[in-house]
Amino acid sequence: MEVKIEASWKEVLSNVFKSTYFLQTAAHIKTELATGANIFPAGSAIFNAFNQTPFNSVKVVILGQDPYHGSGQAMGLSFSVPQGVKPPPSLVNIFKELKSDIGLPIPTQGDLTPWAKQGVLLLNAVLTVRENEPASHAKIGWMHFTDAVIRKISDEKKGVIFLLWGKFAEQKQTLIDETKHFVLKAAHPSPFSADKGFFGCKHFSKTNELLAKQGLQVIDWHI
């Protein structure tokens, strides 16, 4: 099928887009939309992470689980919300760690697009959700797709830094070749777990140290 996605991703994922599971996932979403379901993010933003961060630009991957399920929150970038939308608790905790780690003032808005444009792939494992029904699309095929994305990055790139926050994200570690990539793990930034190892993880400064050692441009974490 014809997928509207940034050209470099369209090329490296060409076989994935022809796969049975991907076609079934797309059909499932179309069926739900036809019955009047509200699905987030909007269709034009489902592949926003890929459109903002071309394959050749990926230096860092921050893996989320599910899009925000409240109206107006999801924008196709993990943990990010559009300008004008109040940052959710997990994102607030990310900002707290940024301040503790590298001294950045806590932002008043939560649009992480500036990170994406610098090579930070803000990837959710599941790319859509029904309104007010968390994890409602967790089993329709998206995880096969995003696992394939992680494998493709692992296979075809080197020196990428994967930030895996929480037990769900840590399960993806098996998809990554750690002989040529870096994996940083911590608790999830959710209020339920942030004090169990997310606060104090210093992943933002550690990421920049790893980039600098490779001679790569570090990330400006301001938004």
Side-chain angles (χ1 to χ4, degrees), residues 119-134:
V120 181
L121 182 66
L122 296 165
L123 180 66
N124 277 320
V126 178
L127 298 190
T128 56
V129 67
R130 285 196 302 272
E131 183 174 16
N132 297 326
E133 295 183 50

Side-chain angles (χ1 to χ4, degrees), residues 67-202:
Y68 296 122
H69 55 84
S71 180
Q73 291 182 304
M75 58 179 294
L77 303 176
S78 61
F79 296 103
S80 181
V81 291
Q83 291 200 28
V85 175
K86 182 181 178 181
S90 291
L91 184 53
V92 171
N93 285 339
I94 290 170
F95 291 157
K96 288 179 179 177
E97 176 59 22
L98 264 172
K99 182 178 181 180
S100 170
D101 184 8
I102 55 178
L104 286 190
I106 293 178
T108 57
Q109 62 90 24
D111 184 350
L112 304 181
T113 301
W115 296 2
K117 289 187 175 297
Q118 296 176 76
V120 181
L121 182 66
L122 296 165
L123 180 66
N124 277 320
V126 178
L127 298 190
T128 56
V129 67
R130 285 196 302 272
E131 183 174 16
N132 297 326
E133 295 183 50
S136 48
H137 284 176
K139 297 181 179 179
I140 69 169
W142 279 130
M143 287 204 216
H144 295 301
F145 172 72
T146 53
D147 281 359
V149 170
I150 295 169
R151 285 194 193 96
K152 185 67 69 170
I153 294 170
S154 178
D155 290 347
E156 297 195 13
K157 299 180 73 70
K158 63 179 180 179
V160 174
I161 301 145
F162 292 84
L163 306 186
L164 306 182
W165 296 338
K167 292 180 180 178
F168 173 84
E170 287 181 13
Q171 294 172 5
K172 306 298 181 180
Q173 188 173 359
T174 58
L175 305 173
I176 302 162
D177 182 351
E178 293 184 66
T179 67
K180 59 176 184 170
H181 298 287
F182 305 96
V183 172
L184 300 180
K185 297 187 292 185
H188 193 277
S190 159
F192 299 107
S193 55
D195 60 354
K196 295 179 174 67
F198 179 76
F199 290 142
C201 71
K202 299 188 181 298

Side-chain angles (χ1 to χ4, degrees), residues 4 19-20 36 48 53 82 88 90 116 142-143 164 171 207:
K4 294 182 179 178
S19 67
T20 300
N48 193 25
T53 313
S90 291
W142 279 130
M143 287 204 216
L164 306 182
Q171 294 172 5
T207 293

Side-chain angles (χ1 to χ4, degrees), residues 12-86:
V12 299
L13 298 175
S14 59
N15 289 337
V16 175
F17 292 134
K18 299 172 187 173
S19 67
T20 300
Y21 70 77
F22 185 85
L23 296 173
Q24 290 175 340
T25 301
H28 183 105
I29 292 170
K30 288 177 182 177
T31 299
E32 285 198 17
L33 288 171
T35 62
N38 285 333
I39 292 177
F40 302 140
S44 60
I46 289 174
F47 295 114
N48 193 25
F50 303 90
N51 293 332
Q52 297 293 344
T53 313
F55 181 75
N56 297 333
S57 301
V58 175
K59 299 190 291 189
V60 181
V61 178
I62 297 180
L63 186 67
Q65 185 166 353
D66 207 33
Y68 296 122
H69 55 84
S71 180
Q73 291 182 304
M75 58 179 294
L77 303 176
S78 61
F79 296 103
S80 181
V81 291
Q83 291 200 28
V85 175
K86 182 181 178 181

